[in-house]
């Protein structure tokens, strides 16, 4: 079954109003494959979500970079899933390694967040990935399986989940995983879904790669059989994001 190529742009904690408008106008002018070939979702900081949603071309969508683990209330500084739904924001990124590492979000907490966001009707880009130390000690598959299991224990419908494999050592470092390294982990994750969830979910879930993807390396990653797209950080702020989106064409003809 065909899995539609997915390209997400994680703008992280970057941008002024003027810079955001400039990025959006570059995206709006970009010549990219049609929506039946590639799904494009960009994720500005919370404060720019309404602006980006209003200015962005209709075939691209927006994601928040996080949301609170349950219903809103006395949680200073947090943004609830209900608020995102109220604003018409369809997607949210959860479990990004920067939040896991800097803000100590555990596998269980991320699993709860994913379950709550889905229950409110949001679609989720759920991130997993190993540190350099874990890779070097040979525990990569174990680590990403445990992160995925903590989500699986709380989620029964995977239709609105995109899983982003993002090795921590490749994020923002310029040290991209080789196509073989990415394919190996994506293959193992799909195998995990086959064994632990169902053959259907294994065949249909989109597993995207993130970590120093750019306009020059995206095509060779895109052709890997279990790579269904990308989550892009730094390069999503630059015009080369359009080239990354275009790698969906390479996938289509692979
Ligand atoms: C990310 O933060 O999700 C990411 C993949 O960043 P970068 O592309 O900059 O490595």
């Amino acid at each position: 079954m065909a899995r539609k190529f997915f390209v997400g742009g994680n703008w992280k904690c970057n941008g002024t109003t003027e810079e955001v408008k400039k990025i959006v106008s570059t995206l709006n002018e970009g010549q990219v494959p049609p929506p039946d070939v590639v799904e494009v979702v960009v994720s500005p900081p919370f404060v720019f979500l309404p602006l980006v949603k209003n200015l962005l071309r209709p075939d691209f969508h927006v994601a928040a970079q996080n949301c609170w683990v349950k219903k809103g209330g006395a949680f200073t500084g947090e943004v609830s899933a209900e608020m995102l739904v109220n604003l018409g924001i369809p997607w949210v990124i959860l479990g990004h390694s920067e939040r896991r590492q800097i803000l100590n979000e555990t596998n269980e907490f991320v699993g709860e967040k994913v379950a709550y966001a889905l229950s409110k009707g949001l679609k989720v880009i759920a991130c997993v990935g190993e540190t350099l130390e874990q890779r070097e000690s040979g525990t990569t598959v174990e680590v990403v399986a445990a992160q995925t299991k903590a989500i699986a224990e709380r989620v029964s419908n995977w239709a609105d989940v995109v899983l982003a494999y993002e090795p921590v050592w490749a994020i923002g470092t310029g040290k991209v995983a080789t196509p073989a390294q990415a394919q190996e982990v994506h293959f193992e994750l799909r195998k995990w879904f086959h064994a632990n969830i169902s053959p259907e979910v294994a065949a249909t879930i989109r597993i995207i790669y993130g970590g120093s993807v750019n306009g020059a390396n995206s095509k060779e990653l895109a052709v890997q059989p279990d790579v269904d797209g990308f989550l892009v950080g730094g390069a999503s702020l630059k015009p080369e994001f359009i080239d990354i989106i275009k790698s969906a064409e390479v996938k289509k003809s692979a």
Side-chain angles (χ1 to χ4, degrees):
M1 177 179 291
R3 298 181 294 266
K4 194 198 288 187
F5 205 75
F6 184 101
V7 180
N10 175 12
W11 297 359
K12 311 194 187 194
C13 187
N14 287 299
T16 60
T17 303
E18 288 319 308
E19 286 165 349
V20 162
K21 284 184 180 166
K22 204 162 161 231
I23 297 168
V24 172
S25 75
T26 303
L27 293 176
N28 288 351
E29 286 159 16
Q31 301 284 320
V32 298
D36 61 317
V37 173
V38 62
E39 186 169 4
V40 180
V41 175
V42 295
S43 188
F46 283 127
V47 291
F48 297 125
L49 277 169
L51 175 71
V52 174
K53 186 176 153 53
N54 288 338
L55 296 180
L56 193 64
R57 56 197 288 172
D59 53 334
F60 287 9
H61 298 284
V62 287
Q65 294 175 17
N66 179 39
C67 66
W68 182 231
V69 66
K70 54 186 173 181
K71 188 170 158 54
F75 305 105
T76 303
E78 290 294 336
V79 169
S80 69
E82 290 85 352
M83 289 171 190
L84 298 179
V85 171
N86 179 250
L87 286 180
I89 308 300
W91 287 90
V92 62
I93 298 172
L94 293 172
H96 192 280
S97 65
E98 285 153 13
R99 298 196 62 87
R100 289 180 187 264
Q101 297 214 303
I102 304 167
L103 297 157
N104 296 324
E105 292 195 3
T106 63
N107 290 356
E108 292 68 31
F109 189 64
V110 171
E112 283 169 28
K113 280 188 170 191
V114 173
Y116 191 76
L118 290 173
S119 79
K120 294 296 137 189
L122 290 169
K123 295 186 264 194
V124 175
I125 302 164
C127 306
V128 298
E130 83 288 2
T131 63
L132 184 58
E133 201 186 359
Q134 289 164 334
R135 171 160 284 263
E136 286 175 345
S137 67
T139 57
T140 297
V141 174
E142 201 179 302
V143 168
V144 297
Q147 291 168 333
T148 308
K149 181 168 178 273
I151 297 170
E153 282 168 352
R154 295 161 176 87
V155 163
S156 51
N157 183 358
W158 289 87
D160 290 333
V161 179
V162 168
L163 191 72
Y165 167 58
E166 300 206 296
V168 179
W169 48 270
I171 294 183
T173 58
K175 230 177 134 184
V176 64
T178 65
Q181 283 174 323
Q183 168 57 23
E184 184 189 10
V185 181
H186 285 230
F187 173 81
E188 289 295 338
L189 280 166
R190 209 174 292 290
K191 204 166 97 185
W192 186 91
F193 277 102
H194 195 281
N196 296 281
I197 308 296
S198 72
E200 292 71 30
V201 171
T204 53
I205 189 162
R206 288 176 292 179
I207 305 176
I208 62 175
Y209 169 79
S212 297
V213 175
N214 60 36
N217 61 31
S218 58
K219 289 184 181 60
E220 58 176 2
L221 287 160
V223 291
Q224 298 305 308
D226 289 297
V227 173
D228 303 317
F230 303 116
L231 184 56
V232 184
S236 71
L237 299 163
K238 302 177 190 163
E240 72 184 287
F241 189 59
I242 296 294
D243 297 322
I244 298 172
I245 297 169
K246 284 183 183 160
S247 63
E249 283 291 358
V250 178
K251 183 74 172 185
K252 206 178 118 204
S253 52

